[in-house]
Amino acid sequence: MKEKSTGRKKTRLIVVLSLVVVLSFGFINLRDKEFDIVKNLDIFYSLFNELNRFYVDDTHPDKLIQSAIEGMLNSLDPYTTYIPEEDMADFNFMTTGEYGGIGALIRKGGDYALVSEPYLDFPAQQAGLRAGDTLVTIDGVSTRGKEIGSVSDMLKGTPNTTLKLQIKRIGTPGIIEKTLIRKKITIPNVPYYAMVGDKIGYIRLTNFTKDAGLETGNALKELKNQGATSVILDLRGNPGGLLNEAVNVSNVFVGKGHEIVSTRGKVKQWDSEYITSSAPVDTVIAVALLVNRGSASASEIVAGSLQDLDRAVIVGQRTFGKGLVQTTRPLSYNAQLKVTIAKYYIPSGRCIQALDYTHRNADGSVGIVPDSLIREYSTQNGRKVYDGGGISPDVPVEPEQIGNIAISLYTKNLIFDYATMYYLSHPHINNINQLKVTDQEYAKFLDFLKDKNYDYTTESDDQLDVLIKTAKQEKYYDLASGEFAALKVKLAHDKEKDLQTFSSEIKLLLYEELASRYFYQKGKYQASLDDDQELNKAVYVLQHPQEYVTLLHTSLPRASNGKSDAEDMENRDYAR
């Protein structure tokens, strides 16, 4: 007995000593890290002080500190950023969708800024501002030569404050003066929804600011009242936003009690599970969800969770691949630090982060998650899905490539200017279909372009120039100079030919611009759906129920009974 007692004491002693060693190393590591922080802060302060005292030219301490902060944060990920006090209004707009201003988009037009799109029922439109108006002065200050960001800041301000504008308008001589009162501008998350086919509804969700879930739910209810038995949710180009609103949007289609996303980070307080908590609008209506490379963050949470729960067919292209979560931390002088605190994981357990910012390449560039680290997961119905690179669509659709000539016409404001002139000569149009660009109207547009400069280069031009440069460096050019010259002639683009080759996409850009002049933002979205390949594919899937259920490995949705939406969906959700 004595030997056993002695053995137990030795065992306890070894365990205690091991814990002491582990804890000691833990404290040593903690002290080392704290010492490193203090040491490096002291070095930075000393360097900054010496630099400002002895550098040969005058220094600007605020700019030096700004550069130091940006350099430090650039070594992490692009979402960890410093927000000085003067930029907080823009940051708040990104999270709330609200700002104080006149409610209009602006763009550069020569030396001045132009009104490109006034929002319906906001101060700019109510005061009679039109797309194409040139902003000459704002409160007596000339806008000539100012950057668009500076002009935008001049237009923004505290709601209920007065703003005086001097504008020039094509077709109207002299200066026009306008007095506006700034209002709180709230940009809707759902700017457009409509029926797009026989019993098929369409919802365009462009942001995830406050009330995104509520707006999506209300749009779905209205479409159901109009007879929709299936719906397309369009998240193309949606950069994301508030994580909780991604959960709320998912909750429109998924019942209570489902985990939509979880977060895990270094600090345990950021480890959370986000579970649907409200009554859904409809848990069985067929859903097709449109995504592309511009669908990121909260968009990927919605797309990924509905894919993992086999609740929607995903149509389009692979999404961006942002699986990182940020929060803000207050700093001195009303500044903020937006810092990445965790990664998020959708219901199957996968993280869709595509870029590895932790292990950078030797040159500082960021690599994608390698194939060797990509893992396979399963959806609720057993379909195979993968992590490490965004959300892959169930129905891939090749993206439409817009021609260089169309890009040139758009960026040089030629499509915009033609729409301005068209509006002046056709002030009263009541039907959006009247704006579809016929061959006759397109011919007028081509005539308008005859004395305009819209030169452009193609990728073939660029690649050939690189090849010629390389051949000259390697001294092979003289051996094949004739062949190079002949190839350059063959590849040279012909504007007249390109205007015909790419006429369909140029006509669509014209249609969208014209529609926005008469029917504002809703008109522009409606026009953009004309001959939309991804939308057409989604419509096809929804019009063929057997294909829909085969893609999801599920059964056909049941028709609604006579109960209210909330009662009916809740009962079906928990009856599974």
Side-chain angles (χ1 to χ4, degrees):
M1 289 293 293
K2 196 168 184 179
E3 288 180 4
K4 288 183 178 179
S5 176
T6 302
R8 284 196 294 271
K9 288 179 180 177
K10 288 181 178 178
T11 301
R12 290 194 194 102
L13 181 61
I14 291 170
V15 171
V16 170
L17 287 173
S18 298
L19 286 172
V20 169
V21 171
V22 170
L23 291 173
S24 296
F25 273 116
F27 284 123
I28 290 170
N29 288 336
L30 183 60
R31 284 199 298 268
D32 286 347
K33 188 168 186 178
E34 289 177 346
F35 174 74
D36 284 343
I37 292 172
V38 172
K39 180 184 79 171
N40 284 289
L41 282 175
D42 188 42
I43 291 171
F44 179 80
Y45 172 77
S46 301
L47 182 150
F48 183 67
N49 186 48
E50 296 298 311
L51 191 64
N52 281 285
R53 289 177 63 195
F54 297 114
Y55 187 69
V56 61
D57 294 321
D58 287 340
T59 59
H60 301 279
D62 54 341
K63 290 183 179 179
L64 289 175
I65 290 294
Q66 182 77 24
S67 298
I69 291 172
E70 289 174 356
M72 176 171 58
L73 298 183
N74 285 341
S75 68
L76 302 174
D77 64 69
Y79 314 110
T80 297
T81 57
Y82 168 67
I83 309 169
E85 182 179 12
E86 59 267 24
D87 292 342
M88 282 304 298
D90 290 336
F91 175 74
N92 290 333
F93 168 62
M94 286 166 39
T95 55
T96 65
E98 298 178 349
Y99 68 97
I102 66 171
L105 297 178
I106 59 174
R107 66 165 65 180
K108 196 71 173 175
D111 291 335
Y112 293 90
L114 303 175
V115 176
S116 63
E117 185 181 340
Y119 292 142
L120 184 64
D121 296 330
F122 284 116
Q125 185 264 334
Q126 291 171 338
L129 288 182
R130 300 177 187 171
D133 286 346
T134 298
L135 298 173
V136 180
T137 68
I138 300 174
D139 283 336
V141 179
S142 173
T143 66
R144 184 174 183 176
K146 292 188 181 296
E147 296 294 329
I148 286 295
S150 298
V151 178
S152 177
D153 290 340
M154 293 167 69
L155 294 172
K156 293 175 183 175
T158 305
N160 298 319
T161 56
T162 300
L163 185 71
K164 292 185 177 181
L165 303 179
Q166 287 187 330
I167 66 171
K168 283 184 179 180
R169 176 174 294 165
I170 293 176
T172 302
I175 293 290
I176 301 172
E177 295 192 350
K178 299 280 186 181
T179 299
L180 293 78
I181 298 177
R182 296 183 180 94
K183 298 293 182 185
K184 183 173 79 171
I185 309 299
T186 302
I187 304 301
N189 294 282
V190 177
Y192 181 75
Y193 62 91
M195 299 295 290
V196 293
D198 185 26
K199 298 184 178 180
I200 298 176
Y202 170 87
I203 302 172
R204 182 67 177 258
L205 180 62
T206 57
N207 291 291
F208 283 87
T209 58
K210 183 176 176 290
D211 292 334
L214 178 65
E215 292 177 41
T216 304
N218 289 340
L220 180 58
K221 290 175 185 176
E222 179 59 32
L223 290 171
K224 289 182 67 179
N225 289 337
Q226 295 177 28
T229 57
S230 60
V231 67
I232 297 168
L233 179 62
D234 192 347
L235 294 177
R236 291 176 296 179
N238 186 325
L242 300 176
L243 188 149
N244 67 298
E245 288 299 338
V247 179
N248 293 338
V249 170
S250 301
N251 198 173
V252 171
F253 306 98
V254 175
K256 279 184 182 180
H258 287 279
E259 181 179 301
I260 299 300
V261 63
S262 61
T263 59
R264 297 199 291 274
K266 181 172 69 175
V267 180
K268 289 300 178 184
Q269 76 178 87
W270 305 119
D271 292 357
S272 301
E273 290 80 36
Y274 294 82
I275 296 170
T276 52
S277 58
S278 301
V281 175
D282 196 324
T283 62
V284 295
I285 190 171
V287 181
L289 202 153
L290 299 179
V291 295
N292 62 10
R293 285 295 296 169
S295 306
S297 190
S299 292
E300 296 175 287
I301 293 176
V302 174
S305 63
L306 296 187
Q307 187 179 57
D308 283 355
L309 297 173
D310 300 295
R311 185 63 191 87
V313 170
I314 312 300
V315 179
Q317 297 93 47
R318 183 191 293 268
T319 60
F320 182 80
K322 180 182 180 290
L324 304 176
V325 185
Q326 288 76 43
T327 191
T328 54
R329 305 291 297 170
L331 302 175
S332 304
Y333 299 98
N334 298 317
Q336 296 269 348
L337 171 67
K338 181 162 71 77
V339 57
T340 297
I341 55 166
K343 293 181 179 179
Y344 66 70
Y345 299 81
I346 49 181
S348 64
R350 56 184 170 140
C351 177
I352 53 82
Q353 177 63 25
L355 297 177
D356 185 359
Y357 296 103
T358 303
H359 304 97
R360 291 178 179 265
N361 299 322
D363 62 357
S365 62
V366 177
I368 62 172
V369 176
D371 290 343
S372 59
L373 296 181
I374 292 176
R375 292 177 293 177
E376 183 182 275
Y377 294 81
S378 296
T379 69
Q380 187 171 269
N381 291 343
R383 297 187 296 144
K384 300 304 178 186
V385 289
Y386 302 89
D387 68 356
I391 303 300
S392 294
D394 304 308
V395 182
V397 180
E398 283 295 317
E400 295 183 75
Q401 300 296 329
I402 189 166
N404 288 305
I405 188 169
I407 294 172
S408 179
L409 294 172
Y410 183 84
T411 56
K412 293 182 184 299
N413 283 346
L414 294 175
I415 289 174
F416 181 86
D417 291 344
Y418 185 79
T420 300
M421 294 175 58
Y422 184 94
Y423 182 84
L424 287 174
S425 57
H426 302 79
H428 304 295
I429 287 182
N430 300 316
N431 188 328
I432 192 171
N433 289 323
Q434 292 178 255
L435 297 172
K436 287 192 175 182
V437 181
T438 62
D439 290 342
Q440 292 79 4
E441 192 60 47
Y442 189 62
K444 294 179 183 178
F445 176 66
L446 297 185
D447 190 58
F448 164 79
L449 293 178
K450 284 182 178 178
D451 60 347
K452 306 297 189 298
N453 176 29
Y454 53 98
D455 199 17
Y456 54 94
T457 59
T458 66
E459 188 172 348
S460 298
D461 294 331
D462 294 337
Q463 292 296 327
L464 180 58
D465 288 341
V466 171
L467 180 60
I468 290 173
K469 183 178 180 181
T470 303
K472 287 180 177 178
Q473 289 174 343
E474 296 180 347
K475 299 186 177 180
Y476 288 117
Y477 179 76
D478 291 340
L479 298 175
S481 59
E483 288 86 344
F484 279 123
L487 185 58
K488 199 170 185 68
V489 170
K490 286 183 179 180
L491 291 179
H493 59 268
D494 182 333
K495 285 183 182 180
E496 298 300 322
K497 183 179 177 181
D498 284 354
L499 285 169
Q500 298 304 323
T501 302
F502 299 100
S503 62
S504 59
E505 58 191 52
I506 297 171
K507 285 180 179 180
L508 181 57
L509 291 173
L510 278 167
Y511 180 34
E512 290 178 24
E513 189 63 50
L514 290 169
S516 73
R517 299 302 173 100
Y518 295 89
F519 305 101
Y520 300 95
Q521 203 171 29
K522 289 184 178 180
K524 192 168 189 173
Y525 282 117
Q526 183 178 343
S528 71
L529 299 180
D530 199 57
D531 196 27
D532 185 325
Q533 290 185 21
E534 289 143 12
L535 178 74
N536 293 341
K537 188 63 178 178
V539 168
Y540 175 85
V541 170
L542 293 176
Q543 287 177 337
H544 294 77
Q546 195 56 55
E547 180 167 345
Y548 178 85
V549 300
T550 299
L551 285 166
L552 294 182
H553 293 188
T554 186
S555 57
L556 286 168
R558 292 188 295 168
S560 176
N561 56 33
K563 297 180 181 179
S564 69
D565 285 341
E567 292 176 329
D568 187 42
M569 302 313 153
E570 285 293 280
N571 289 339
R572 277 180 282 182
D573 191 61
Y574 288 110
R576 293 180 181 178

